[in-house]
Every structure is written in structure tokens, then in C-alpha cells.
Amino acid sequence: FARLAAAGATFGQAGIEGRPASVMDLWEGDVPWGQLALTSLKAYELFQEGRQYIVRDGDVVVVDESTGRLRPITRWQGGLHQAVEAKEGVAIKQETHPTAQITFQVFFRFYRKLAGMTGTASPAAAEFYELYRLKVVPVPTNRPSMRVDLEPRLYFDTAAKHRYLCAVVERCWQLGRPLLIGTTSVRESEQIL
């Protein structure tokens, strides 16, 4: 607030009444200074590169926190994306406003025929039937599963976990076996690589 006032920001009601501006003036007037300040604080303090977003080719790209996948088309609303762009020093793009929204469930109902394949449909069979009137048919494997589910391993520090991971990767590489490594963030993926 003090920096805004010192920089010459005018607060409507204080100017009309001929008094010095106060913190309450941030939420009054034509310019929502208070909301802008809160959005900036949120961008600077709560959003971390490598966890909620990454910077790629001069753009802030949102990271889906549940899957770790990049969502290049997605932008945060309410000026948050622009605040993160300002924080990272990249070109600030204008906020977009959706003209229409639709859920996937409603979108899929526009099609007369639906089909699909997934490894996770059986637990959601009742939902598929309720939403789309689709039955879930489990297809057995061609051969018995050779997968061995091991006990979970717990590590007290990241370095020990990464040492074990390196040993597993090397063993699989020597055997010529592919290996899928799942991580919880982009930053962790980059550390492992």
C-alpha cells in the first residue's frame, strides 16, 4: 500500500474527500488495487516454478498438479496468470474469457455411439452406466499376468530414494526392459533425468 501511494497511485474516495489514502481505500474505487495486490502476493508466494507451472519458450505453462502433465492451453483466471507472467519476466498476455463451458459428461452425450478402452473403468462401472447408459465389460488378459507387486519402500531422504532408483534403472537397462518412472512434479522429473 505504501509503495502504491508513494508511486502516485490515486485512490478515488480519498482524493474526493481530500484526505490521505488508507488501506481501506484499496477496495474502493474504479481500480481494484486490493484484489490486484492479493493476486500478486499469491503469484509470488504460493505459486512455484516446477510445481504449479514451468516457463517454456517465453510462456508460463500450467502443470496439472494431480498428473504432472503440462497443460499449454490452460490459463489461470482472475489475473493470476498475468501476475505469474510478470513474476517470471515473460511477455504478459491478455486474460481470456470463456464464451461457453461444457463438461465432458454432457459433451459425450451428443454422440449416439460411445466406446472406449481403459484399465480403470471397472471401479467406475456404475457411474458409466448412470451417465451414459454404457456397460463396462472387463476383458481378461490373453496370458496370465506376470507382474509382481512388491511391498512399498519408504525412504527418509530423497538422496537414498534416488540412489535406489538409479540401481533399478541400471538393472532394467542391462536386461533390456522398459521402465516407467512416475513422479509427483516436473521439478522431480528433471532431477531424476
Side-chain angles (χ1 to χ4, degrees):
F1 169 74
R3 284 192 179 180
L4 287 172
T10 57
F11 301 100
Q13 196 61 32
I16 292 169
E17 295 173 3
R19 62 174 171 76
S22 71
V23 174
M24 291 309 296
D25 291 320
L26 289 173
W27 275 266
E28 298 172 0
D30 297 333
V31 179
W33 292 108
Q35 189 60 43
L36 293 172
L38 288 176
T39 302
S40 298
L41 281 171
K42 189 186 295 185
Y44 275 82
E45 298 299 328
L46 301 179
F47 283 71
Q48 301 171 2
E49 184 179 3
R51 185 164 295 276
Q52 284 87 10
Y53 68 93
I54 64 168
V55 177
R56 176 179 284 167
D57 300 327
D59 287 328
V60 171
V61 180
V62 176
V63 175
D64 186 324
E65 291 189 62
S66 60
T67 64
R69 291 190 177 123
L70 300 179
R71 301 181 66 183
I73 298 173
T74 303
R75 290 179 61 84
W76 294 303
Q77 298 296 314
L80 183 59
H81 207 94
Q82 288 77 10
V84 172
E85 288 170 334
K87 169 186 170 182
E88 294 299 331
V90 300
I92 299 173
K93 296 183 178 82
Q94 192 170 359
E95 187 170 4
T96 57
H97 298 283
T99 55
Q101 292 182 345
I102 188 170
T103 63
F104 282 115
Q105 287 86 350
V106 173
F107 177 73
F108 289 144
R109 286 185 187 162
F110 286 111
Y111 291 91
R112 288 189 306 118
K113 294 183 179 182
L114 286 176
M117 184 175 76
T118 179
T120 58
S122 289
E127 183 181 351
F128 278 115
Y129 189 78
E130 183 181 321
L131 289 173
Y132 310 114
R133 298 286 183 242
L134 287 177
K135 293 180 182 174
V136 173
V137 179
V139 178
T141 57
N142 186 30
R143 300 181 193 147
S145 175
M146 296 174 59
R147 184 177 78 188
V148 177
D149 291 329
L150 303 173
E151 292 293 318
R153 292 180 175 263
L154 302 176
Y155 299 93
F156 293 105
D157 62 1
T158 308
K161 179 172 73 171
H162 288 170
R163 281 193 301 276
Y164 176 75
L165 182 61
C166 287
V168 170
V169 168
E170 187 174 354
R171 198 166 48 245
C172 288
W173 179 76
Q174 289 171 348
L175 295 172
R177 289 177 39 202
L179 181 66
L180 177 64
I181 301 170
T183 62
T184 57
S185 71
V186 173
R187 180 159 297 181
E188 187 178 1
S189 295
E190 290 173 347
Q191 286 175 346
I192 290 173
L193 291 176

